[in-house]
Amino acid sequence: MPPSTVVVLADDLTSAADGAAPFRRSGHRARVLLDPTPAPGEGVTAVDLGTRITGATEAAARTRRAARAYAGADLLLKTVDSTLRGHVAAELRAALAGSGRRAAILAPAFPAEGRTTVGGVQYVRGVRVDASEFARDPAHPVRTADLARVLPEAVLLEPGALADLPQLVERGGVFVCSAATDADLDALVAALPRPGDALWAGSPGLADALARACPRSPAAPLPELPPVHRPLAVVGSANPASRRQLAALRPVGAAAVHTPEERAADPAALLGRLTEEARERVRDGHADGLVLTGGETAAAVLGALGATGIELYDEPEPGIARGTLHGPGVPRLPVLVKAGGFGDDGTLVRLRALLTRGEAR
């Protein structure tokens, strides 16, 4: 029997959407919220705890409170970046402490994106993450790829050593599970007959495996996705790729607001100006749909509009969430959220098309 309540605890908005999207594909209703609420509703509730931009102590405190509030969920998943960025150890320990579970199962592999865990070491397309570009991340540089160093208390489990997982979970502890393929993640989930017994922690790869094991039938109906005629793109980055993307939007008639070039200015003030302009355009009827890039920018714009989150419609492409604004008294404005960064100079134009036509590539 599939779980009736699934809760995803995430460190930013885009990871919350990534964690919820596989369950939407498996037939569950799914919503992404900006703040914890007292109790989850039926379906999937993914919560953006905003811990990616805090220190480790605050991140742990927020995660512990949220895990305690949602401890009664049938299935509880803590998202973890597949490149180990963020406060991985602090948040996992806090989530376990607040969840009421005896054990945590950590599987950060995301095979579809080339992120694998071999012998308890995290790799990106065959390169250790601490030898990859993620070791130079300006906000959260990855210091080690070895999960035994990240979590010294953990027991390492290989894909062929899962027969005793139910007994290990019963005794309690933290278990780091290697996985190089989606089949490895499916085998891991299948090894625990009652998945609600443990706190799960992982990337979209693990969320996919859990969702495949817990389909809802009949599927919950999709929320209505109103047509969009006046899309507004909101870009919080001033890098050259963003500038090229914005220029490419003009010929197709999409409005755009973006962070000014002057990066020396106060980032909070810049973000405030960005969100206020977006709010005014929506209020005045100059925008009936939103394309938001970057978790921090997206959360700020949604908050400025009075939304509490997003009612998820689907994930038309990996890392892209599509849905409608969620919250009391908030119009059901279609919105599309993409994680930061652009793969090519046509990305924003393609996102606009996904929003206005309601089609996935």
Side-chain angles (χ1 to χ4, degrees):
M1 182 176 180
S4 60
T5 56
V6 177
V7 171
V8 179
L9 303 179
D11 60 0
D12 70 4
L13 185 65
T14 50
S15 62
D18 284 344
F23 291 96
R24 174 62 265 187
R25 289 196 298 272
S26 288
H28 298 264
R29 179 190 176 198
R31 66 198 68 79
V32 178
L33 302 181
L34 298 177
D35 291 297
T37 55
E42 183 177 346
V44 179
T45 301
V47 186
D48 168 18
L49 300 178
T51 56
R52 183 68 71 90
I53 58 174
T54 70
T57 300
E58 175 61 19
R62 291 186 191 184
T63 303
R64 185 179 295 106
R65 287 194 298 268
R68 187 177 297 120
Y70 290 110
D74 296 332
L75 183 64
L76 188 59
L77 170 65
K78 172 69 185 76
T79 66
V80 171
D81 184 78
S82 60
T83 64
L84 306 186
R85 289 172 296 173
H87 309 294
V88 174
E91 292 186 20
L92 178 61
R93 291 170 182 142
L96 181 57
S99 71
R101 272 68 167 172
R102 295 176 57 84
I105 298 173
L106 171 62
F110 189 8
E113 292 296 315
R115 284 87 187 272
T116 59
T117 314
V118 180
V121 176
Q122 197 71 4
Y123 292 86
V124 177
R125 294 182 175 84
V127 178
R128 287 174 59 113
V129 292
D130 53 5
S132 72
E133 67 271 23
F134 298 104
R136 300 182 294 277
D137 185 279
H140 292 282
V142 179
R143 303 300 187 191
T144 180
D146 189 347
L147 287 157
R149 293 182 61 187
V150 176
L151 291 158
E153 71 272 30
V155 175
L156 302 182
L157 295 177
E158 293 301 306
L162 299 175
D164 295 331
L165 187 61
Q167 292 77 20
L168 294 172
V169 167
E170 177 63 27
R171 290 200 292 267
V174 177
F175 303 95
V176 170
C177 299
S178 293
T181 66
D182 286 333
D184 289 339
L185 292 170
D186 288 337
L188 170 61
V189 172
L192 192 64
R194 297 191 306 272
D197 287 352
L199 167 72
W200 296 87
S203 70
L206 180 62
D208 272 326
L210 288 166
R212 285 192 293 270
C214 303
R216 185 186 188 277
S217 182
L222 288 169
E224 181 185 359
L225 198 64
V228 175
H229 304 288
R230 298 177 300 282
L232 175 68
V234 185
V235 180
S237 168
N239 65 43
S242 300
R243 298 290 163 182
R244 292 193 299 271
Q245 295 273 332
L246 292 165
L249 278 180
R250 296 190 185 102
V252 297
V257 295
H258 55 87
T259 299
E261 301 251 12
E262 314 86 52
R263 301 304 293 171
D266 176 21
L270 292 175
L271 187 58
R273 288 158 56 186
L274 184 80
T275 56
E276 177 59 21
E277 184 176 352
R279 188 185 70 81
E280 289 180 359
R281 293 199 188 191
V282 171
R283 181 195 62 193
D284 296 343
H286 296 147
D288 60 1
L290 296 168
V291 174
L292 309 176
T293 67
E296 184 179 0
T297 298
V301 171
L302 295 179
L305 294 173
T308 58
I310 299 171
E311 185 76 18
L312 195 63
Y313 181 83
D314 67 355
E315 186 184 36
E317 295 181 8
I320 296 173
R322 181 167 56 181
T324 57
L325 296 186
H326 175 82
V330 177
R332 295 185 63 80
L333 202 71
V335 59
L336 189 147
V337 177
K338 183 191 182 301
F342 297 112
D344 59 70
D345 281 359
T347 302
L348 265 182
V349 173
R350 189 171 75 253
L351 297 184
R352 173 194 179 276
L354 287 173
L355 186 69
T356 56
R357 294 199 304 266
E359 297 173 358
R361 285 170 62 90

